[in-house]
Amino acid sequence: MDELLEHVKNTVIKNEIDDEIIILNVGGVKFETTRKTLIAHPETTLGKLFDSKNSEALKPIHPNGNEYFIDRNGHAFYCILEYYRTGEVLWSDDIKSKEFPVSKHALELEIEYFKIPIHSEKRVARNLQQSVTVIDKFCDGLIRFINEAINRFVMKVNVTYRSYGALSGVSPFDNYENGKWFVEFEKQGHGLLSNEKIVSAIEKRLKNHFPSIKVTTERGIDYITLTMEDYLDMDSLVDNL
């Protein structure tokens, strides 16, 4: 009976400790969380620091208090704490502002300091999905481009991307309004067309819409050109005249 009571007592104490509200004063910016949130990631700096086994190493600002000072980037710590809460590091150029003055490099320094495992399965899966989405959007643009060529009875078109991230052009009608859409891929276009498997996937997708299409690539020192031709079945077109 005594052992059971002792076990229950220890469990209650542990739960109280885990549910303890923790105030983290990071470079003068204060954040509130719970010990349970931090120790849920024991492989990280804070996960180890706030483990009950290391309670003696913790030094609160005030004796017996729950506020701890960490001399790090307080603005970047917002993203670090979100990892403990969600399992993901949330950062984007879109949220960078005067109120949130954090560069990608600054955040990377904090990720390294706090030992955040950024290559989690969720992140890998999300990055993969983003890559698939980029390829899908690229194919959709090509399909619109070819349809415009068919409307003009143009039998051969190409798109060229430079290795240094610049769109060289779409031919033979460079003033094609929807061609501006390809500018969105000026940083990724060369990489997409450099990958033979991706080019094969693009060709397969295009053949679903244009069965007779021929797709080839031409590689130069600093450019890659994707050429598409024979997408309009002229024999069938003439037979139906």
Side-chain angles (χ1 to χ4, degrees):
M1 180 65 70
D2 291 340
E3 291 182 359
L4 178 59
L5 290 174
E6 186 66 23
H7 175 73
V8 172
K9 179 181 177 181
N10 291 336
T11 300
V12 171
I13 292 174
K14 182 180 185 305
N15 289 338
E16 290 178 349
I17 293 175
D18 289 350
D19 291 334
E20 177 189 2
I21 299 297
I22 300 293
I23 300 174
L24 298 174
N25 183 334
V26 185
V29 183
K30 294 185 179 182
F31 299 85
E32 288 192 20
T33 185
T34 64
R35 185 185 297 269
K36 181 188 297 184
T37 297
L38 300 177
I39 64 176
H41 299 276
E43 73 281 8
T44 65
T45 298
L46 294 180
K48 294 176 181 177
L49 185 62
F50 283 91
D51 188 290
S52 57
K53 299 176 182 178
N54 300 318
S55 57
E56 294 183 0
L58 286 174
K59 297 181 180 180
I61 294 177
H62 306 290
N64 301 319
N66 65 336
E67 182 176 341
Y68 302 86
F69 179 75
I70 302 175
D71 191 14
R72 299 298 300 183
N73 188 325
H75 294 291
F77 190 75
Y78 163 80
C79 293
I80 299 299
L81 188 55
E82 283 305 298
Y83 169 79
Y84 286 92
R85 291 167 171 163
T86 68
E88 297 186 49
V89 178
L90 307 178
W91 185 90
S92 168
D93 285 312
D94 297 334
I95 64 173
K96 186 179 177 183
S97 65
K98 291 182 179 179
E99 291 74 28
F100 192 73
V102 177
S103 67
K104 183 178 181 181
H105 179 62
L107 179 57
E108 287 174 343
L109 291 176
E110 300 309 300
I111 287 174
E112 181 179 355
Y113 177 82
F114 287 103
K115 300 294 188 293
I116 303 299
I118 59 174
H119 300 297
S120 63
E121 292 183 3
K122 286 184 178 180
R123 176 166 292 273
V124 171
R126 189 177 73 233
N127 289 343
L128 176 61
Q129 183 57 49
Q130 289 175 343
S131 298
V132 170
T133 300
V134 167
I135 296 172
D136 282 344
K137 291 177 67 176
F138 186 74
C139 288
D140 290 341
L142 289 176
I143 291 168
R144 292 198 297 271
F145 183 42
I146 293 171
N147 280 328
E148 178 65 20
I150 291 174
N151 290 336
R152 302 188 188 196
F153 291 94
V154 175
M155 301 308 301
K156 181 178 180 179
V157 295
N158 59 65
V159 180
T160 300
Y161 285 100
R162 300 287 179 180
S163 59
Y164 45 83
L167 172 66
S168 181
V170 291
S171 296
F173 33 98
D174 292 336
N175 62 342
Y176 165 51
E177 182 65 24
N178 285 335
K180 295 178 181 178
W181 180 86
F182 287 103
V183 176
E184 179 181 347
F185 299 94
E186 63 179 348
K187 293 182 179 180
Q188 302 141 312
H190 190 275
L192 287 173
L193 301 182
S194 296
N195 189 305
E196 293 182 1
K197 289 186 177 180
I198 292 179
V199 173
S200 295
I202 291 173
E203 182 177 10
K204 183 178 180 180
R205 172 83 175 272
L206 294 179
K207 281 185 176 293
N208 289 335
H209 295 266
F210 315 103
S212 61
I213 194 172
K214 293 181 181 178
V215 178
T216 57
T217 57
E218 177 188 347
R219 301 166 186 256
I221 296 176
D222 65 346
Y223 72 88
I224 293 182
T225 297
L226 180 71
T227 299
M228 296 152 286
E229 55 187 321
D230 295 343
Y231 33 76
L232 182 58
D233 189 343
M234 293 301 296
D235 292 336
S236 296
L237 178 63
V238 173
D239 291 341
N240 285 296
L241 291 176

